[in-house]
Amino acid sequence: MKVLVLGSGVIGVTSAYYLARAGHEVTVIDRQPKPALETSFANAGEVSPGYSSPWAGPGVPVKAVKWLLMKHGPLVIRPKLDPVMWLWLLKMLRNCSTSRYAVNKSRMIPIAEYSRDCLQALRNDIGIRYDERAQGTLQLFREQAQLDHTGDDIAVLKQYGVPFEVLDRDGCIKAEPALAGVKQKFAGGLRLPHDETGDCHMFTQALALEAEKIGVRFNFNVGIDGLNADATRITGVATSAGMMTADAYVLALGSYSPHLVRPLGISLPVYPVKGYSITVPIKDASGAPESTVMDESYKVAITRLGDRIRVGGTAEISGYSTKLYDARRATLDHSLTDLFPRGGDLPKATFWCGLRPMTPDGPPVIGATRFANLHLNTGHGTLGWTMACGSGRVLADMLSGKKPEIDTKELSIKRYDVRFG
């Protein structure tokens, strides 16, 4: 088939690559001049299936109040007169129960684990490189109480067969030697040795080149204005370059996906949650992290990417604003300099933000819609990099009429018909 992929972030490009590999004639369109220049550009760099959990969970409403009052809190809400924002928040609160958390996590772990396996297969198949490392993730607890309350997390890891290590101070230092100089600032950690890291932007641009080699065409600097449809099918995409048509369409526009399908009567509960990052040149390699350290108190991830350190965090609910706030950078600066004071050349850091496409329950939305030739691949939240390859692969299988290698039924948009009406 002729397939038109809307969006050239990591989700759109992986979708295009696997569709082309399955034999389809694929074109990708995007308003940007190159791939991965928006949310995929400077994320935290984690490929973390073990941490694939919904944000909506038991105890989160109480924690949210605490976070909002912290100087370096991980949550910021900038209220707007936007009913979509408040409806999304209400739906998220409805998922903050033990039972729904368990169901939602059970939907996220399989696609995340499968995606890591697909990413590893890509490395073996085409030799793609993206400053990758496979040295695990260390969740660092500054307070003993945090370490003492890891029981629920450990139970979930055991349930899904995710390898883990509970570490004392010395164990954390063995995994991340640069922490030796600040050992008085943490109590211990939880390490997931099978997690990976890598530069999502570098990966996406490299995979786009590989996709071109097998026939994918990229049309950049093309604005996407809307979808035309009859009663059962999409008939074309209105763009700044004119009407574009195909046999099938894949919507991979992240936080902007709901805008295109809302006029068609499809309610897609994806809303932007802004995240921030700084990218810091390494000044002293012995003082930098080896992989990813998650500073649990501030929900900040500090990741080694080649000769740089990527520091990412904050959940800011503020609509589609991409304004950079200095207070958010201060949190990232603080976490880095407090734990790795010698590692980075902070005055040379670059500051960035991106809009994570979040669903209120946590899992992404992948698969068909009521329009026979319109397929969704969006709503991955903070886990777009973690879930990208697996999501692209299962989407390509679905569109090709093949049964995916994992069960994807519960990732469909149909799950909202039952839960929210």
PDB file of all heavy atoms in Angstrom, residues 126-152:
ATOM      1  N   ILE A 126      21.428  -3.354  11.386  1.00  0.00           N
ATOM      2  CA  ILE A 126      21.907  -2.267  10.524  1.00  0.00           C
ATOM      3  C   ILE A 126      23.054  -1.476  11.136  1.00  0.00           C
ATOM      4  O   ILE A 126      23.546  -0.523  10.532  1.00  0.00           O
ATOM      5  CB  ILE A 126      20.756  -1.310  10.153  1.00  0.00           C
ATOM      6  CG1 ILE A 126      20.155  -0.642  11.399  1.00  0.00           C
ATOM      7  CG2 ILE A 126      19.664  -2.050   9.380  1.00  0.00           C
ATOM      8  CD1 ILE A 126      19.075   0.377  11.076  1.00  0.00           C
ATOM      9  N   GLY A 127      23.477  -1.861  12.334  1.00  0.00           N
ATOM     10  CA  GLY A 127      24.634  -1.215  12.947  1.00  0.00           C
ATOM     11  C   GLY A 127      24.412   0.239  13.325  1.00  0.00           C
ATOM     12  O   GLY A 127      25.361   1.029  13.348  1.00  0.00           O
ATOM     13  N   ILE A 128      23.183   0.606  13.633  1.00  0.00           N
ATOM     14  CA  ILE A 128      22.868   1.986  13.950  1.00  0.00           C
ATOM     15  C   ILE A 128      23.542   2.395  15.262  1.00  0.00           C
ATOM     16  O   ILE A 128      23.610   1.623  16.217  1.00  0.00           O
ATOM     17  CB  ILE A 128      21.335   2.185  14.020  1.00  0.00           C
ATOM     18  CG1 ILE A 128      20.976   3.667  14.064  1.00  0.00           C
ATOM     19  CG2 ILE A 128      20.717   1.416  15.176  1.00  0.00           C
ATOM     20  CD1 ILE A 128      19.502   3.943  13.832  1.00  0.00           C
ATOM     21  N   ARG A 129      24.033   3.641  15.307  1.00  0.00           N
ATOM     22  CA  ARG A 129      24.734   4.132  16.483  1.00  0.00           C
ATOM     23  C   ARG A 129      24.153   5.478  16.915  1.00  0.00           C
ATOM     24  O   ARG A 129      23.817   6.316  16.085  1.00  0.00           O
ATOM     25  CB  ARG A 129      26.241   4.284  16.193  1.00  0.00           C
ATOM     26  CG  ARG A 129      26.944   2.942  16.017  1.00  0.00           C
ATOM     27  CD  ARG A 129      26.994   2.189  17.337  1.00  0.00           C
ATOM     28  NE  ARG A 129      27.526   0.843  17.209  1.00  0.00           N
ATOM     29  CZ  ARG A 129      26.810  -0.266  17.177  1.00  0.00           C
ATOM     30  NH1 ARG A 129      25.485  -0.201  17.259  1.00  0.00           N
ATOM     31  NH2 ARG A 129      27.379  -1.441  17.082  1.00  0.00           N
ATOM     32  N   TYR A 130      24.063   5.671  18.250  1.00  0.00           N
ATOM     33  CA  TYR A 130      23.389   6.864  18.765  1.00  0.00           C
ATOM     34  C   TYR A 130      23.857   7.176  20.186  1.00  0.00           C
ATOM     35  O   TYR A 130      23.070   7.533  21.042  1.00  0.00           O
ATOM     36  CB  TYR A 130      21.863   6.665  18.722  1.00  0.00           C
ATOM     37  CG  TYR A 130      21.420   5.326  19.279  1.00  0.00           C
ATOM     38  CD1 TYR A 130      21.046   5.183  20.613  1.00  0.00           C
ATOM     39  CD2 TYR A 130      21.399   4.179  18.474  1.00  0.00           C
ATOM     40  CE1 TYR A 130      20.655   3.967  21.138  1.00  0.00           C
ATOM     41  CE2 TYR A 130      21.016   2.949  18.988  1.00  0.00           C
ATOM     42  CZ  TYR A 130      20.646   2.853  20.315  1.00  0.00           C
ATOM     43  OH  TYR A 130      20.266   1.628  20.835  1.00  0.00           O
ATOM     44  N   ASP A 131      25.174   7.053  20.425  1.00  0.00           N
ATOM     45  CA  ASP A 131      25.759   7.237  21.756  1.00  0.00           C
ATOM     46  C   ASP A 131      25.090   6.318  22.768  1.00  0.00           C
ATOM     47  O   ASP A 131      24.827   6.696  23.916  1.00  0.00           O
ATOM     48  CB  ASP A 131      25.647   8.703  22.220  1.00  0.00           C
ATOM     49  CG  ASP A 131      26.743   9.581  21.634  1.00  0.00           C
ATOM     50  OD1 ASP A 131      27.733   9.013  21.113  1.00  0.00           O
ATOM     51  OD2 ASP A 131      26.612  10.820  21.696  1.00  0.00           O
ATOM     52  N   GLU A 132      24.837   5.097  22.341  1.00  0.00           N
ATOM     53  CA  GLU A 132      24.098   4.148  23.181  1.00  0.00           C
ATOM     54  C   GLU A 132      24.985   3.513  24.245  1.00  0.00           C
ATOM     55  O   GLU A 132      26.200   3.354  24.053  1.00  0.00           O
ATOM     56  CB  GLU A 132      23.469   3.048  22.317  1.00  0.00           C
ATOM     57  CG  GLU A 132      24.441   2.024  21.749  1.00  0.00           C
ATOM     58  CD  GLU A 132      25.192   2.504  20.529  1.00  0.00           C
ATOM     59  OE1 GLU A 132      24.972   3.643  20.080  1.00  0.00           O
ATOM     60  OE2 GLU A 132      26.025   1.735  20.007  1.00  0.00           O
ATOM     61  N   ARG A 133      24.370   3.176  25.359  1.00  0.00           N
ATOM     62  CA  ARG A 133      25.015   2.408  26.422  1.00  0.00           C
ATOM     63  C   ARG A 133      23.988   1.434  26.992  1.00  0.00           C
ATOM     64  O   ARG A 133      22.798   1.745  27.022  1.00  0.00           O
ATOM     65  CB  ARG A 133      25.524   3.313  27.544  1.00  0.00           C
ATOM     66  CG  ARG A 133      26.717   4.174  27.151  1.00  0.00           C
ATOM     67  CD  ARG A 133      27.336   4.884  28.340  1.00  0.00           C
ATOM     68  NE  ARG A 133      28.575   5.543  27.944  1.00  0.00           N
ATOM     69  CZ  ARG A 133      29.612   5.713  28.739  1.00  0.00           C
ATOM     70  NH1 ARG A 133      29.585   5.278  29.993  1.00  0.00           N
ATOM     71  NH2 ARG A 133      30.696   6.320  28.315  1.00  0.00           N
ATOM     72  N   ALA A 134      24.464   0.289  27.437  1.00  0.00           N
ATOM     73  CA  ALA A 134      23.581  -0.713  28.030  1.00  0.00           C
ATOM     74  C   ALA A 134      24.099  -1.046  29.429  1.00  0.00           C
ATOM     75  O   ALA A 134      24.539  -2.166  29.696  1.00  0.00           O
ATOM     76  CB  ALA A 134      23.522  -1.964  27.150  1.00  0.00           C
ATOM     77  N   GLN A 135      24.050  -0.039  30.309  1.00  0.00           N
ATOM     78  CA  GLN A 135      24.631  -0.188  31.642  1.00  0.00           C
ATOM     79  C   GLN A 135      23.617   0.053  32.762  1.00  0.00           C
ATOM     80  O   GLN A 135      23.995   0.295  33.900  1.00  0.00           O
ATOM     81  CB  GLN A 135      25.822   0.767  31.789  1.00  0.00           C
ATOM     82  CG  GLN A 135      26.980   0.394  30.865  1.00  0.00           C
ATOM     83  CD  GLN A 135      28.131   1.380  30.916  1.00  0.00           C
ATOM     84  OE1 GLN A 135      28.574   1.897  29.899  1.00  0.00           O
ATOM     85  NE2 GLN A 135      28.624   1.649  32.109  1.00  0.00           N
ATOM     86  N   GLY A 136      22.337  -0.016  32.419  1.00  0.00           N
ATOM     87  CA  GLY A 136      21.315   0.025  33.450  1.00  0.00           C
ATOM     88  C   GLY A 136      20.933   1.423  33.909  1.00  0.00           C
ATOM     89  O   GLY A 136      21.508   2.425  33.486  1.00  0.00           O
ATOM     90  N   THR A 137      19.947   1.466  34.796  1.00  0.00           N
ATOM     91  CA  THR A 137      19.459   2.701  35.399  1.00  0.00           C
ATOM     92  C   THR A 137      19.516   2.563  36.912  1.00  0.00           C
ATOM     93  O   THR A 137      19.117   1.525  37.458  1.00  0.00           O
ATOM     94  CB  THR A 137      18.008   2.992  34.973  1.00  0.00           C
ATOM     95  OG1 THR A 137      17.961   3.189  33.562  1.00  0.00           O
ATOM     96  CG2 THR A 137      17.461   4.226  35.676  1.00  0.00           C
ATOM     97  N   LEU A 138      19.986   3.588  37.580  1.00  0.00           N
ATOM     98  CA  LEU A 138      20.056   3.601  39.042  1.00  0.00           C
ATOM     99  C   LEU A 138      19.083   4.633  39.580  1.00  0.00           C
ATOM    100  O   LEU A 138      19.245   5.838  39.358  1.00  0.00           O
ATOM    101  CB  LEU A 138      21.470   3.928  39.512  1.00  0.00           C
ATOM    102  CG  LEU A 138      21.657   4.085  41.027  1.00  0.00           C
ATOM    103  CD1 LEU A 138      21.345   2.773  41.760  1.00  0.00           C
ATOM    104  CD2 LEU A 138      23.070   4.557  41.357  1.00  0.00           C
ATOM    105  N   GLN A 139      18.056   4.178  40.285  1.00  0.00           N
ATOM    106  CA  GLN A 139      17.125   5.069  40.974  1.00  0.00           C
ATOM    107  C   GLN A 139      17.723   5.374  42.342  1.00  0.00           C
ATOM    108  O   GLN A 139      17.862   4.482  43.175  1.00  0.00           O
ATOM    109  CB  GLN A 139      15.757   4.396  41.100  1.00  0.00           C
ATOM    110  CG  GLN A 139      14.669   5.287  41.658  1.00  0.00           C
ATOM    111  CD  GLN A 139      13.333   4.574  41.717  1.00  0.00           C
ATOM    112  OE1 GLN A 139      13.251   3.346  41.567  1.00  0.00           O
ATOM    113  NE2 GLN A 139      12.266   5.312  41.933  1.00  0.00           N
ATOM    114  N   LEU A 140      18.093   6.622  42.543  1.00  0.00           N
ATOM    115  CA  LEU A 140      18.852   7.007  43.726  1.00  0.00           C
ATOM    116  C   LEU A 140      17.932   7.636  44.769  1.00  0.00           C
ATOM    117  O   LEU A 140      17.189   8.577  44.487  1.00  0.00           O
ATOM    118  CB  LEU A 140      19.948   8.000  43.343  1.00  0.00           C
ATOM    119  CG  LEU A 140      21.073   8.203  44.359  1.00  0.00           C
ATOM    120  CD1 LEU A 140      21.943   6.953  44.445  1.00  0.00           C
ATOM    121  CD2 LEU A 140      21.925   9.415  43.964  1.00  0.00           C
ATOM    122  N   PHE A 141      17.992   7.102  45.986  1.00  0.00           N
ATOM    123  CA  PHE A 141      17.152   7.586  47.078  1.00  0.00           C
ATOM    124  C   PHE A 141      17.990   8.406  48.046  1.00  0.00           C
ATOM    125  O   PHE A 141      18.933   7.897  48.652  1.00  0.00           O
ATOM    126  CB  PHE A 141      16.506   6.411  47.813  1.00  0.00           C
ATOM    127  CG  PHE A 141      15.685   5.522  46.916  1.00  0.00           C
ATOM    128  CD1 PHE A 141      16.054   4.197  46.698  1.00  0.00           C
ATOM    129  CD2 PHE A 141      14.556   6.017  46.286  1.00  0.00           C
ATOM    130  CE1 PHE A 141      15.302   3.387  45.867  1.00  0.00           C
ATOM    131  CE2 PHE A 141      13.788   5.211  45.454  1.00  0.00           C
ATOM    132  CZ  PHE A 141      14.169   3.891  45.247  1.00  0.00           C
ATOM    133  N   ARG A 142      17.635   9.658  48.211  1.00  0.00           N
ATOM    134  CA  ARG A 142      18.359  10.535  49.119  1.00  0.00           C
ATOM    135  C   ARG A 142      18.016  10.239  50.580  1.00  0.00           C
ATOM    136  O   ARG A 142      18.827  10.509  51.461  1.00  0.00           O
ATOM    137  CB  ARG A 142      18.035  11.999  48.797  1.00  0.00           C
ATOM    138  CG  ARG A 142      18.620  12.486  47.469  1.00  0.00           C
ATOM    139  CD  ARG A 142      18.164  13.903  47.176  1.00  0.00           C
ATOM    140  NE  ARG A 142      18.743  14.435  45.948  1.00  0.00           N
ATOM    141  CZ  ARG A 142      19.826  15.192  45.880  1.00  0.00           C
ATOM    142  NH1 ARG A 142      20.477  15.491  46.989  1.00  0.00           N
ATOM    143  NH2 ARG A 142      20.265  15.651  44.732  1.00  0.00           N
ATOM    144  N   GLU A 143      16.828   9.698  50.833  1.00  0.00           N
ATOM    145  CA  GLU A 143      16.369   9.467  52.194  1.00  0.00           C
ATOM    146  C   GLU A 143      16.121   7.979  52.427  1.00  0.00           C
ATOM    147  O   GLU A 143      15.655   7.257  51.536  1.00  0.00           O
ATOM    148  CB  GLU A 143      15.074  10.248  52.449  1.00  0.00           C
ATOM    149  CG  GLU A 143      15.225  11.746  52.256  1.00  0.00           C
ATOM    150  CD  GLU A 143      13.887  12.468  52.319  1.00  0.00           C
ATOM    151  OE1 GLU A 143      12.876  11.802  52.654  1.00  0.00           O
ATOM    152  OE2 GLU A 143      13.845  13.673  52.033  1.00  0.00           O
ATOM    153  N   GLN A 144      16.411   7.526  53.637  1.00  0.00           N
ATOM    154  CA  GLN A 144      16.210   6.133  53.981  1.00  0.00           C
ATOM    155  C   GLN A 144      14.744   5.736  53.833  1.00  0.00           C
ATOM    156  O   GLN A 144      14.427   4.605  53.445  1.00  0.00           O
ATOM    157  CB  GLN A 144      16.674   5.875  55.421  1.00  0.00           C
ATOM    158  CG  GLN A 144      16.600   4.413  55.849  1.00  0.00           C
ATOM    159  CD  GLN A 144      17.501   3.502  55.033  1.00  0.00           C
ATOM    160  OE1 GLN A 144      18.630   3.863  54.706  1.00  0.00           O
ATOM    161  NE2 GLN A 144      16.998   2.319  54.679  1.00  0.00           N
ATOM    162  N   ALA A 145      13.842   6.668  54.130  1.00  0.00           N
ATOM    163  CA  ALA A 145      12.405   6.358  54.022  1.00  0.00           C
ATOM    164  C   ALA A 145      12.033   5.985  52.594  1.00  0.00           C
ATOM    165  O   ALA A 145      11.179   5.113  52.371  1.00  0.00           O
ATOM    166  CB  ALA A 145      11.581   7.556  54.484  1.00  0.00           C
ATOM    167  N   GLN A 146      12.655   6.624  51.618  1.00  0.00           N
ATOM    168  CA  GLN A 146      12.378   6.277  50.222  1.00  0.00           C
ATOM    169  C   GLN A 146      12.828   4.854  49.922  1.00  0.00           C
ATOM    170  O   GLN A 146      12.120   4.087  49.258  1.00  0.00           O
ATOM    171  CB  GLN A 146      13.100   7.255  49.283  1.00  0.00           C
ATOM    172  CG  GLN A 146      12.596   8.684  49.356  1.00  0.00           C
ATOM    173  CD  GLN A 146      13.465   9.636  48.548  1.00  0.00           C
ATOM    174  OE1 GLN A 146      14.702   9.505  48.520  1.00  0.00           O
ATOM    175  NE2 GLN A 146      12.841  10.599  47.892  1.00  0.00           N
ATOM    176  N   LEU A 147      13.996   4.493  50.439  1.00  0.00           N
ATOM    177  CA  LEU A 147      14.513   3.141  50.235  1.00  0.00           C
ATOM    178  C   LEU A 147      13.639   2.116  50.936  1.00  0.00           C
ATOM    179  O   LEU A 147      13.384   1.028  50.402  1.00  0.00           O
ATOM    180  CB  LEU A 147      15.949   3.068  50.755  1.00  0.00           C
ATOM    181  CG  LEU A 147      16.745   1.784  50.474  1.00  0.00           C
ATOM    182  CD1 LEU A 147      16.869   1.535  48.988  1.00  0.00           C
ATOM    183  CD2 LEU A 147      18.129   1.881  51.113  1.00  0.00           C
ATOM    184  N   ASP A 148      13.140   2.479  52.111  1.00  0.00           N
ATOM    185  CA  ASP A 148      12.312   1.552  52.884  1.00  0.00           C
ATOM    186  C   ASP A 148      10.957   1.301  52.243  1.00  0.00           C
ATOM    187  O   ASP A 148      10.299   0.300  52.562  1.00  0.00           O
ATOM    188  CB  ASP A 148      12.099   2.097  54.303  1.00  0.00           C
ATOM    189  CG  ASP A 148      13.382   2.130  55.124  1.00  0.00           C
ATOM    190  OD1 ASP A 148      14.328   1.407  54.754  1.00  0.00           O
ATOM    191  OD2 ASP A 148      13.437   2.890  56.115  1.00  0.00           O
ATOM    192  N   HIS A 149      10.525   2.210  51.357  1.00  0.00           N
ATOM    193  CA  HIS A 149       9.196   2.076  50.751  1.00  0.00           C
ATOM    194  C   HIS A 149       9.261   1.608  49.294  1.00  0.00           C
ATOM    195  O   HIS A 149       8.381   1.918  48.497  1.00  0.00           O
ATOM    196  CB  HIS A 149       8.456   3.416  50.831  1.00  0.00           C
ATOM    197  CG  HIS A 149       7.977   3.751  52.210  1.00  0.00           C
ATOM    198  ND1 HIS A 149       8.764   4.418  53.131  1.00  0.00           N
ATOM    199  CD2 HIS A 149       6.797   3.488  52.833  1.00  0.00           C
ATOM    200  CE1 HIS A 149       8.092   4.559  54.258  1.00  0.00           C
ATOM    201  NE2 HIS A 149       6.898   4.010  54.101  1.00  0.00           N
ATOM    202  N   THR A 150      10.281   0.835  48.980  1.00  0.00           N
ATOM    203  CA  THR A 150      10.398   0.312  47.616  1.00  0.00           C
ATOM    204  C   THR A 150       9.677  -1.021  47.448  1.00  0.00           C
ATOM    205  O   THR A 150       9.687  -1.592  46.358  1.00  0.00           O
ATOM    206  CB  THR A 150      11.873   0.121  47.230  1.00  0.00           C
ATOM    207  OG1 THR A 150      12.504  -0.748  48.190  1.00  0.00           O
ATOM    208  CG2 THR A 150      12.603   1.452  47.186  1.00  0.00           C
ATOM    209  N   GLY A 151       9.046  -1.501  48.492  1.00  0.00           N
ATOM    210  CA  GLY A 151       8.427  -2.826  48.449  1.00  0.00           C
ATOM    211  C   GLY A 151       7.420  -2.986  47.331  1.00  0.00           C
ATOM    212  O   GLY A 151       7.419  -4.005  46.617  1.00  0.00           O
ATOM    213  N   ASP A 152       6.551  -1.989  47.153  1.00  0.00           N
ATOM    214  CA  ASP A 152       5.535  -2.086  46.106  1.00  0.00           C
ATOM    215  C   ASP A 152       6.170  -2.118  44.718  1.00  0.00           C
ATOM    216  O   ASP A 152       5.759  -2.895  43.844  1.00  0.00           O
ATOM    217  CB  ASP A 152       4.558  -0.910  46.205  1.00  0.00           C
ATOM    218  CG  ASP A 152       3.654  -1.010  47.431  1.00  0.00           C
ATOM    219  OD1 ASP A 152       3.572  -2.105  48.025  1.00  0.00           O
ATOM    220  OD2 ASP A 152       3.035   0.008  47.791  1.00  0.00           O
TER     221      ASP A 152
END
